[in-house]
Amino acid sequence: MTRSRPGGPALSRRRMLAGTAALLGGAFAAPALTGCTAAGAASGITNLSYWHLLSGGDGITMATLVAEVEKELGDLAVDQTVLAWGAPYYTKLAMAAAGGRAPDIAIMHASRVTGWAPGGLLDPWDLDLLAEFDITEDTFKPRIWEKGFTDGKLYSVALDSHPFIMFFNTEVADDAGVLASDGKLIETSTPDEFLDMALEMQKVTGQHGLSWGYLNDGAQLWRLFYTFYKQHGADMVLETGKPAQFDEDAAIESLEYMTKLVDGTVAAKNSDINNGIAEFAGGKSGLLFSGVWELRTMQDAGIPFDATTIPTLFGTPAVYADSHAFVLPHQSNPDETKRRAAYEFMSTLLKDSIEWAGAGHIPAYLPVIEDPAYDDLIPQAHYANAADLINYDPPAWFTGSGSDFQNYFLDAIQGVMLGGTTPEAGFSSFIARINTLLSKPNPVTV
Amino acid sequence: MTATAQNVLSDTGATARSSHPGKPRETLTGWGFIAPFGILFILFMLVPIFWGIYLSFTNQSLTGAGGDFIGVANYAEALGDPDMWRSMLNTVWFTILSTVPLVVIALALALLVNTGLPGQWLWRLSFFMPYLLASTVVSLIWVWLYNPQLGLFNAILGWFGVDPVTWLQDPDLAMLSVVVTTVWWTIGFNFLLYLAALQNIPDTQYEAASLDGAGPWRTLFSITIPQLGPTTAMVIVLQLLASLKVFDQIYQMTGGGPAGTTRSAIQYIFESGFTGFRFGYSSAISYIFFILIIIVSVIQFRITARRSA
């Protein structure tokens, strides 16, 4: 349908040259850049600039997917720009969007979109045009689809959900007598049952029962905390102009339990996540709390393992997760051809996203996970239920993956884990910090 | 030179070129030579400096929102912001902790090398080499050395039965650990300045001293250290300014933690502006920090001026 649309010639090269010239000549060459976007000879190739923060194994998988989509569509050339996860990526994307000369399409964490959309950094997706490319509400799990909406407009379309889950070493579990006959872990539904199971595994490995790490890592700390917190059925509401609303008992109980886990026997007293990953991959522990993105590492380690959602220890099934989601960063003068190409690119990529599941993530596009091929993916199929239970960060302009919010949590809570601070004092200093932020005007919109 | 040329131009008008051949052209050539620097200086120093002052009086957001003039509200907020004061104090604390060893140890190393140890080049190289490393490399190496589970330092302590220490995660130790890293990393530069100065002290003075029967300590305190005075003054100025600007290694090693105990002023400026979106506020903090640096510099100049007077 869009095959014969006029596009620019091989712009990427010219654009790169112009970019280099701009660098060399300071700001003087800048007008040359704008000259490129309007060019339109009849070679029929549309160039799409695409920014994302997927590096390592994820980056390789994404590059393969992009190449496949390019081949499938034939008339699309995608320039990928990969930037480092976290603040470096988000500051650059924000500035590009604030200047109105952003990439044609980009990936953001769904949890960050809430903060960005009201500030005009993102352009909304057109639901009718999405439907034309087979992307509709019923092709996503409700929690994931709804997360894309701000003020009634859809700003992000999820590629995946990547929950915080539990890996387990099947051999260790078997030796410890905690493997049920169906190959799954025995069910643990209270905090103590889980501790007992981990201790049984510790006896087998002689080192630790559980691997996890939190040193200098607000993300890991927050993911586990929020999993336990949400398992209490508790909520956290952060509204600018009001103090944070939260359930203190649930928070303290979650933190106390986390300190129990890092007692030096169940899990290492002071470990960063890399130690934890190395420990589990070396067979020195039976369990690992981490994100699904560690799947490849574990497969490469060659240990016998499986994965599952973190057991429900506090009554309510809940999983912490985030999604990589496609957004349209704000452009002052969007090129209609490119906009349409962005829709087509995303739709094709979503339909091919079974490959993305190979990296551990749960594809968000339902036709992919409903395909029988997905059930053959083990252990991915064993934690696919997480997609129904996921909880994103509490929405606020400062929350989300790679945000300062997680650093504030680290600042306040690391001392609790290390034993110098009480959970009560740690959590109240975290809330004090958050309340300060909430008391100031939201700088995204001002 | 510029003034003369201008006088000539205004005095003699259009005939200047013929009556004083070369002069205006020389001026033009002069301007031509400084133009590349001048343009960059204006674009990337002067314009941002004044633009920043303007921004600090607005509620400009990184997202493009805001931009309304709000008077001194940002400054008022900053002066009442405990996080800002904390980051300033952290910066000052880091500066004190790092400047003293970076001057004293650099001098000691230079003196040792200058005593005529065999293999001078090896000493020079090994003291200076860390300085050539990028901050990222240094941070990575030291984060591993400090690693509580697998790090070298805790392994050594382990041989003596000492429990693992969380070097970078303990609020009492984190800043000290960063300082140790910084000293190891940057000492080579001060060391080299001192070594060069030492080698410039005329041998005649030492000969005279030894003829008068001065021992090595007497020589050190009466000749070497006084002769190094100007170098010491320069090293201290450079070091103070470098330490006040600390950002890289802290950002990479602790991210400002634990509990904000290592967050430096520059990091707080970065966080409020770039990840917190508040450009106006962030500009205000940077001007407060700028004033702090000016105060430190003035005190420093006063002290050195008095000493040399």
Side-chain angles (χ1 to χ4, degrees):
Chain A
M1 66 210 119
T2 53
R3 290 300 137 100
S4 57
R5 83 177 97 82
L11 282 183
S12 68
R13 186 183 178 80
R14 209 199 280 178
R15 197 173 203 163
M16 202 193 81
L17 287 174
T20 317
L23 273 177
L24 290 174
F28 310 110
L33 278 169
T34 47
C36 286
T37 46
S43 72
I45 300 278
T46 307
N47 286 273
L48 209 59
S49 55
Y50 170 38
W51 285 19
H52 62 76
L53 39 54
L54 306 158
S55 54
D58 280 357
I60 297 168
T61 311
M62 180 49 78
T64 321
L65 264 170
V66 168
E68 260 172 38
V69 172
E70 278 179 330
K71 212 166 133 194
E72 219 172 306
L73 296 179
D75 57 357
L76 193 69
V78 179
D79 295 332
Q80 291 190 80
T81 302
V82 187
L83 295 159
W85 193 95
Y89 177 74
Y90 283 112
T91 51
K92 288 183 181 74
L93 188 62
M95 292 181 82
R101 290 198 296 183
D104 300 310
I105 187 166
I107 291 240
M108 277 181 75
H109 287 100
S111 59
R112 295 296 294 267
V113 173
T114 335
W116 282 37
L121 291 176
L122 303 175
D123 293 335
W125 292 96
D126 178 348
L127 291 175
D128 296 332
L129 194 52
L130 281 177
E132 201 180 302
F133 289 108
D134 312 319
I135 297 171
T136 52
E137 182 171 358
D138 48 320
T139 53
F140 290 85
K141 297 266 188 188
R143 285 191 189 202
I144 298 176
W145 177 256
E146 282 155 21
K147 185 67 188 169
F149 280 88
T150 304
D151 301 330
K153 282 184 188 158
L154 181 70
Y155 284 97
S156 71
V157 177
L159 164 65
D160 64 23
S161 58
H162 47 276
F164 191 66
I165 58 159
M166 183 169 81
F167 295 88
F168 60 96
N169 185 314
T170 46
E171 213 170 274
V172 173
D174 201 13
D175 291 348
V178 296
L179 201 65
S181 54
D182 59 355
K184 294 187 171 152
L185 281 182
I186 56 163
E187 201 168 309
T188 49
S189 54
T190 68
D192 288 336
E193 276 177 25
F194 183 79
L195 280 181
D196 290 343
M197 175 175 77
L199 285 170
E200 287 304 319
M201 291 176 136
Q202 191 272 337
K203 284 181 201 151
V204 174
T205 63
Q207 194 163 334
H208 295 121
L210 164 73
S211 293
W212 177 59
Y214 63 91
L215 285 186
N216 277 359
D217 194 338
Q220 285 289 334
L221 207 51
W222 170 254
R223 287 170 189 143
L224 186 59
F225 167 78
Y226 206 53
T227 304
F228 289 151
Y229 180 80
K230 290 303 282 188
Q231 286 193 355
H232 284 83
D235 257 335
M236 192 178 285
V237 183
L238 309 176
E239 251 179 274
T240 294
K242 291 181 194 165
Q245 296 165 48
F246 57 94
D247 180 338
E248 187 164 9
D249 294 339
I252 303 299
E253 195 181 12
S254 306
L255 288 175
E256 273 169 356
Y257 188 58
M258 284 160 72
T259 58
K260 267 192 207 169
L261 292 176
V262 294
D263 67 345
T265 312
V266 178
K269 256 195 182 119
N270 37 40
S271 159
D272 68 18
I273 189 59
N274 292 326
N275 292 346
I277 289 163
E279 189 179 66
F280 182 78
K284 298 286 172 60
S285 73
L287 304 164
L288 168 72
F289 286 159
S290 193
V292 292
W293 51 89
E294 298 303 347
L295 182 69
R296 281 262 166 82
T297 313
M298 296 313 152
Q299 285 170 336
D300 293 345
I303 50 165
F305 76 98
D306 201 344
T308 168
T309 52
I310 293 178
T312 306
L313 306 179
F314 298 96
T316 313
V319 169
Y320 165 87
D322 208 335
S323 293
H324 295 121
F326 287 103
V327 294
L328 297 170
H330 172 66
Q331 293 185 338
S332 309
N333 303 301
D335 175 334
E336 279 314 309
T337 320
K338 287 188 183 230
R339 270 284 145 97
R340 204 180 160 83
Y343 280 73
E344 193 182 19
F345 165 69
M346 174 176 79
S347 148
T348 317
L349 201 145
L350 286 178
K351 288 173 187 165
D352 288 349
S353 61
I354 183 81
E355 199 135 342
W356 193 237
H361 312 284
I362 306 173
Y365 195 59
L366 280 181
V368 172
I369 45 174
E370 280 162 359
D371 193 283
Y374 186 73
D375 294 329
D376 297 339
L377 281 176
I378 303 295
Q380 286 91 325
H382 290 168
Y383 56 76
N385 63 320
D388 292 314
L389 308 171
I390 63 178
N391 293 280
Y392 295 97
D393 273 10
W397 68 264
F398 51 82
T399 59
S401 295
S403 66
D404 284 339
F405 180 70
Q406 295 179 338
N407 292 336
Y408 301 148
F409 193 69
L410 176 74
D411 277 355
I413 303 301
Q414 181 159 264
V416 177
M417 293 294 115
L418 290 168
T421 318
T422 63
E424 287 82 3
F427 194 70
S428 75
S429 85
F430 171 65
I431 290 297
R433 186 80 182 256
I434 297 310
N435 282 342
T436 313
L437 282 172
L438 290 174
S439 70
K440 295 173 187 170
N442 176 348
V444 179
T445 49
V446 182
Chain B
M1 146 97 206
T2 313
T4 351
Q6 267 164 1
N7 288 341
V8 169
L9 270 177
S10 54
D11 289 349
T12 57
T15 57
R17 191 163 298 209
S18 48
S19 58
H20 297 274
K23 281 220 166 172
R25 184 167 296 168
E26 256 174 50
T27 315
L28 211 65
T29 316
W31 283 110
F33 272 114
I34 62 165
F37 168 78
I39 290 168
L40 291 178
F41 180 76
I42 290 168
L43 273 180
F44 295 105
M45 284 294 284
L46 288 186
V47 171
I49 283 174
F50 289 104
W51 187 243
I53 292 177
Y54 166 72
L55 280 183
S56 71
F57 293 103
T58 70
N59 64 351
Q60 181 64 47
S61 159
L62 178 76
T63 62
D68 310 321
F69 189 80
I70 55 167
V72 293
N74 284 328
Y75 288 93
E77 184 185 338
L79 294 177
D81 178 353
D83 286 333
M84 190 218 61
W85 286 114
R86 190 149 189 212
S87 68
M88 295 281 170
L89 283 178
N90 286 340
T91 306
V92 172
W93 183 225
F94 173 86
T95 305
I96 295 169
L97 281 181
S98 61
T99 303
V100 175
L102 276 170
V103 174
V104 177
I105 299 177
L107 175 61
L109 292 178
L111 286 171
L112 282 177
V113 170
N114 202 43
T115 51
L117 287 173
Q120 270 226 19
W121 65 271
L122 180 69
W123 299 108
R124 271 204 303 252
L125 184 70
S126 46
F127 293 146
F128 189 68
M129 206 147 60
Y131 186 73
L132 301 174
L133 297 175
S135 69
T136 40
V137 176
V138 173
S139 303
L140 261 180
I141 294 174
W142 282 78
V143 163
W144 278 110
L145 290 174
Y146 284 136
N147 185 304
Q149 297 280 311
L150 314 165
L152 178 67
F153 296 141
N154 278 350
I156 294 172
L157 289 181
W159 298 338
F160 300 99
V162 182
D163 277 343
V165 178
T166 50
W167 300 99
L168 292 170
Q169 290 77 29
D170 184 326
D172 300 325
L173 281 177
M175 185 61 96
L176 218 58
S177 306
V178 173
V179 167
V180 170
T181 303
T182 309
V183 170
W184 177 83
W185 176 32
T186 58
I187 197 143
F189 185 65
N190 294 350
F191 158 78
L192 218 59
L193 291 178
Y194 268 128
L195 193 62
L198 279 174
Q199 288 165 355
N200 274 335
I201 299 175
D203 282 340
T204 47
Q205 298 196 6
Y206 288 111
E207 278 166 28
S210 67
L211 281 176
D212 288 341
W217 286 108
R218 183 77 198 169
T219 317
L220 174 68
F221 286 106
S222 298
I223 294 181
T224 312
I225 291 182
Q227 285 290 320
L228 290 176
T231 307
T232 305
M234 180 179 69
V235 165
I236 291 176
V237 172
L238 291 178
Q239 192 53 56
L240 279 177
L241 293 178
S243 286
L244 284 171
K245 286 194 297 186
V246 64
F247 174 73
D248 307 28
Q249 66 269 43
I250 291 182
Y251 186 69
Q252 290 162 123
M253 291 175 73
T254 68
T261 46
T262 59
R263 177 175 289 113
S264 71
I266 304 273
Q267 189 183 343
Y268 193 56
I269 292 168
F270 167 74
E271 280 176 9
S272 14
F274 287 88
T275 62
F277 297 120
R278 303 186 64 197
F279 253 33
Y281 185 58
S282 161
S283 308
I285 302 173
S286 60
Y287 281 95
I288 293 173
F289 183 54
F290 180 58
I291 292 166
L292 177 89
I293 290 186
I294 288 185
I295 293 173
V296 171
S297 311
V298 167
I299 295 173
Q300 165 69 27
F301 280 124
R302 280 272 166 91
I303 293 173
T304 42
R306 195 173 302 159
R307 196 186 289 158
S308 56

Tab-separated table of all heavy atoms in Angstrom, chain B residues 9 28 39 65 91 106 121 185 212 219 238 269 280:
chain	number	residue	atom	x	y	z
B	9	LEU	N	44.740	54.843	12.394
B	9	LEU	CA	43.602	54.867	11.492
B	9	LEU	C	42.779	56.139	11.679
B	9	LEU	O	42.451	56.812	10.724
B	9	LEU	CB	42.711	53.655	11.750
B	9	LEU	CG	43.050	52.410	10.925
B	9	LEU	CD1	42.140	51.269	11.329
B	9	LEU	CD2	42.893	52.709	9.437
B	28	LEU	N	44.672	43.095	11.153
B	28	LEU	CA	43.698	42.158	10.615
B	28	LEU	C	44.204	40.728	10.764
B	28	LEU	O	43.469	39.826	11.169
B	28	LEU	CB	43.474	42.487	9.129
B	28	LEU	CG	42.066	42.170	8.619
B	28	LEU	CD1	41.048	43.053	9.323
B	28	LEU	CD2	42.014	42.358	7.113
B	39	ILE	N	35.906	33.025	18.417
B	39	ILE	CA	34.532	32.626	18.096
B	39	ILE	C	34.078	31.502	19.024
B	39	ILE	O	32.988	31.542	19.589
B	39	ILE	CB	34.443	32.206	16.619
B	39	ILE	CG1	34.593	33.450	15.740
B	39	ILE	CG2	33.128	31.502	16.331
B	39	ILE	CD1	34.806	33.145	14.276
B	65	ALA	N	9.222	23.716	28.295
B	65	ALA	CA	8.139	24.401	28.993
B	65	ALA	C	8.714	25.483	29.895
B	65	ALA	O	9.918	25.532	30.123
B	65	ALA	CB	7.316	23.410	29.816
B	91	THR	N	31.527	18.794	48.360
B	91	THR	CA	32.565	19.242	47.441
B	91	THR	C	33.735	19.853	48.208
B	91	THR	O	34.904	19.552	47.930
B	91	THR	CB	31.982	20.286	46.469
B	91	THR	OG1	30.842	19.714	45.845
B	91	THR	CG2	32.983	20.674	45.421
B	106	ALA	N	52.719	14.297	46.553
B	106	ALA	CA	53.393	14.586	45.285
B	106	ALA	C	54.794	15.130	45.556
B	106	ALA	O	55.773	14.723	44.901
B	106	ALA	CB	52.586	15.595	44.481
B	121	TRP	N	63.590	6.750	35.400
B	121	TRP	CA	62.511	6.737	34.403
B	121	TRP	C	61.368	5.839	34.847
B	121	TRP	O	60.202	6.112	34.650
B	121	TRP	CB	63.058	6.287	33.034
B	121	TRP	CG	63.539	4.859	33.054
B	121	TRP	CD1	64.784	4.422	33.377
B	121	TRP	CD2	62.757	3.686	32.788
B	121	TRP	NE1	64.838	3.065	33.330
B	121	TRP	CE2	63.609	2.578	32.964
B	121	TRP	CE3	61.428	3.466	32.401
B	121	TRP	CZ2	63.194	1.270	32.789
B	121	TRP	CZ3	61.009	2.156	32.217
B	121	TRP	CH2	61.880	1.073	32.412
B	185	TRP	N	45.122	8.457	41.080
B	185	TRP	CA	44.921	8.777	39.673
B	185	TRP	C	45.640	10.061	39.262
B	185	TRP	O	46.312	10.115	38.236
B	185	TRP	CB	43.409	8.888	39.414
B	185	TRP	CG	43.014	9.293	38.035
B	185	TRP	CD1	43.666	9.010	36.866
B	185	TRP	CD2	41.858	10.059	37.675
B	185	TRP	NE1	42.987	9.545	35.806
B	185	TRP	CE2	41.878	10.195	36.269
B	185	TRP	CE3	40.809	10.625	38.395
B	185	TRP	CZ2	40.884	10.887	35.582
B	185	TRP	CZ3	39.827	11.303	37.702
B	185	TRP	CH2	39.878	11.430	36.307
B	212	ASP	N	78.757	25.075	54.108
B	212	ASP	CA	78.462	25.646	55.421
B	212	ASP	C	78.103	24.581	56.440
B	212	ASP	O	77.717	24.888	57.575
B	212	ASP	CB	77.301	26.648	55.302
B	212	ASP	CG	77.757	27.914	54.594
B	212	ASP	OD1	78.977	28.115	54.549
B	212	ASP	OD2	76.905	28.672	54.082
B	219	THR	N	69.075	21.255	54.624
B	219	THR	CA	69.033	21.631	53.207
B	219	THR	C	67.600	21.595	52.686
B	219	THR	O	67.146	22.497	51.985
B	219	THR	CB	69.893	20.665	52.379
B	219	THR	OG1	71.098	20.430	53.075
B	219	THR	CG2	70.170	21.205	51.001
B	238	LEU	N	45.946	25.092	41.238
B	238	LEU	CA	45.424	24.159	40.234
B	238	LEU	C	44.648	23.034	40.906
B	238	LEU	O	43.591	22.619	40.435
B	238	LEU	CB	46.577	23.570	39.412
B	238	LEU	CG	47.301	24.540	38.480
B	238	LEU	CD1	48.447	23.839	37.764
B	238	LEU	CD2	46.316	25.107	37.454
B	269	ILE	N	24.083	19.832	40.204
B	269	ILE	CA	23.702	20.721	39.107
B	269	ILE	C	23.214	19.894	37.921
B	269	ILE	O	22.165	20.148	37.331
B	269	ILE	CB	24.890	21.607	38.698
B	269	ILE	CG1	25.212	22.607	39.809
B	269	ILE	CG2	24.601	22.334	37.383
B	269	ILE	CD1	26.528	23.330	39.631
B	280	GLY	N	16.315	26.177	34.997
B	280	GLY	CA	16.426	27.452	35.703
B	280	GLY	C	17.042	27.257	37.077
B	280	GLY	O	18.000	27.942	37.455
